[in-house]
């Protein structure tokens, strides 16, 4: 049985720019990457792949990626001014082009850094109709599209960590829609990506943040589609 088409599949997203995949998707990727970083970075390197390189220039892909990092959504008229805005804010940025056909045609890596030298690398792709997929953060595998409220954690691997986090969430009667876990090795760095059916209260976020061993935690509310 074929999947039913939604109105988004037929009409596409409400956006500024000519392409849902190369403009709207690119902007959403930048917006999510910036939220994962936790603030606007002082420096960002964009590694573009395949179709993002070949046809991205005509579709404003570079402007859209940077606009997302700056916090602008797909319907913002400031997308076309993102280069000038970044320069006015003293944000350094550069774009590198690659071919790697093991990657999705519309792929990008964001390498973001603050003044203290702290760096976060986010890898993702634009999968069509303005939809996106975040595949990797700092070497950990993830699989989320921004279509759910999402809690991201990186922590020192320890027995019971997944249970402790999930138990706190479920104690607030919040349903977990899906969960993605990864780790480097037993007892080393590990990660969780938890998609939620409802919003996460700030008080609950603080309780989870206080669990020992967590060194990065982000809560990202569902994107507008």
């Amino acid at each position: 049985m074929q999947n039913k088409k939604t109105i988004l599949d037929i009409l596409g997203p409400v956006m500024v720019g000519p392409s849902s995949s190369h403009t709207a998707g690119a902007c959403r990727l930048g917006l999510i990457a910036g939220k994962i970083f936790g603030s606007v970075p002082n420096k960002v390197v964009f590694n573009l792949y395949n179709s993002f390189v070949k046809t991205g220039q005509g579709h404003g892909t570079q402007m859209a990626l940077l606009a997302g990092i700056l916090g602008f959504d797909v319907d913002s008229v400031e997308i076309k001014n993102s280069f000038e805005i970044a320069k006015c804010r003293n944000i350094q940025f550069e774009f590198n082009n690659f071919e790697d056909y093991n990657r999705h045609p519309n792929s990008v890596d964001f390498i973001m850094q603050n003044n203290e030298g702290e760096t976060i690398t986010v890898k993702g792709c634009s999968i069509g109709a303005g939809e996106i997929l975040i595949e990797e953060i700092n070497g950990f595998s993830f699989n989320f599209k921004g279509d759910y409220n999402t809690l991201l954690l990186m922590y020192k691997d320890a027995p019971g960590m997944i249970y402790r986090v999930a138990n706190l969430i479920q104690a607030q009667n919040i349903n977990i829609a899906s969960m993605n876990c990864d780790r480097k090795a037993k007892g080393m760095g590990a990660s969780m990506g938890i998609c939620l059916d409802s919003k996460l209260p700030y008080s609950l976020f603080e309780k989870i943040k206080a669990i020992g061993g967590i060194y990065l935690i982000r809560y990202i509310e569902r994107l507008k589609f």
Side-chain angles (χ1 to χ4, degrees):
M1 184 174 67
Q2 292 183 338
N3 293 329
K4 292 182 178 179
K5 289 187 177 294
T6 67
I7 192 69
L8 180 64
D9 296 317
I10 298 168
L11 298 179
V14 177
M15 65 179 193
V16 170
S19 171
S20 61
S21 60
H22 288 71
T23 315
C27 185
R28 285 193 175 118
L29 282 166
L31 192 61
I32 285 283
K35 291 177 183 294
I36 292 169
F37 191 71
S39 62
V40 178
N42 298 101
K43 180 180 180 180
V44 56
V45 175
F46 302 85
N47 291 339
L48 278 63
Y49 295 86
N50 307 330
S51 182
F52 262 5
V53 175
K54 294 178 180 178
T55 60
Q57 187 170 1
H59 290 149
T61 297
Q62 292 186 358
M63 292 187 297
L65 289 167
L66 184 57
I69 289 288
L70 295 171
F72 298 117
D73 213 332
V74 297
D75 56 356
S76 173
V77 296
E78 297 294 1
I79 290 175
K80 64 181 183 297
N81 301 318
S82 62
F83 282 21
E84 291 75 18
I85 293 170
K87 289 174 182 176
C88 288
R89 297 182 184 179
N90 294 317
I91 298 168
Q92 300 177 53
F93 59 92
E94 64 179 80
F95 295 89
N96 301 315
N97 298 331
F98 297 94
E99 284 189 2
D100 182 351
Y101 295 107
N102 293 314
R103 300 285 300 271
H104 186 279
N106 304 324
S107 290
V108 59
D109 304 337
F110 302 87
I111 305 167
M112 299 166 286
Q113 188 176 91
N114 62 20
N115 279 334
E116 286 70 46
E118 297 171 328
T119 301
I120 290 180
T121 299
V122 175
K123 297 184 179 183
C125 57
S126 174
I127 58 178
E131 295 189 20
I132 64 168
L133 176 65
I134 299 299
E135 303 169 292
E136 187 177 301
I137 305 171
N138 278 3
F140 291 106
S141 175
F142 283 87
N143 182 23
F144 76 96
K145 299 179 178 180
D147 53 349
Y148 283 90
N149 299 307
T150 303
L151 183 67
L152 305 174
L153 302 101
M154 295 182 188
Y155 56 94
K156 179 176 169 55
D157 181 48
M161 180 64 83
I162 295 173
Y163 169 79
R164 293 177 69 185
V165 174
N167 191 51
L168 284 171
I169 292 171
Q170 293 177 343
Q172 293 290 317
N173 200 33
I174 297 173
N175 192 50
I176 295 175
S178 64
M179 178 183 290
N180 180 87
C181 301
D182 192 18
R183 71 176 184 180
K184 301 295 185 184
K186 184 177 179 180
M188 303 296 288
S191 67
M192 273 186 268
I194 306 172
C195 294
L196 307 168
D197 281 339
S198 53
K199 291 187 177 182
L200 190 78
Y202 179 75
S203 59
L204 179 53
F205 176 85
E206 288 296 302
K207 285 182 181 179
I208 296 171
K209 184 179 178 181
I211 296 174
I214 294 176
Y215 59 85
L216 185 145
I217 180 169
R218 299 286 188 268
Y219 171 61
I220 300 173
E221 290 195 359
R222 181 183 183 275
L223 294 177
K224 295 185 297 181
F225 284 92

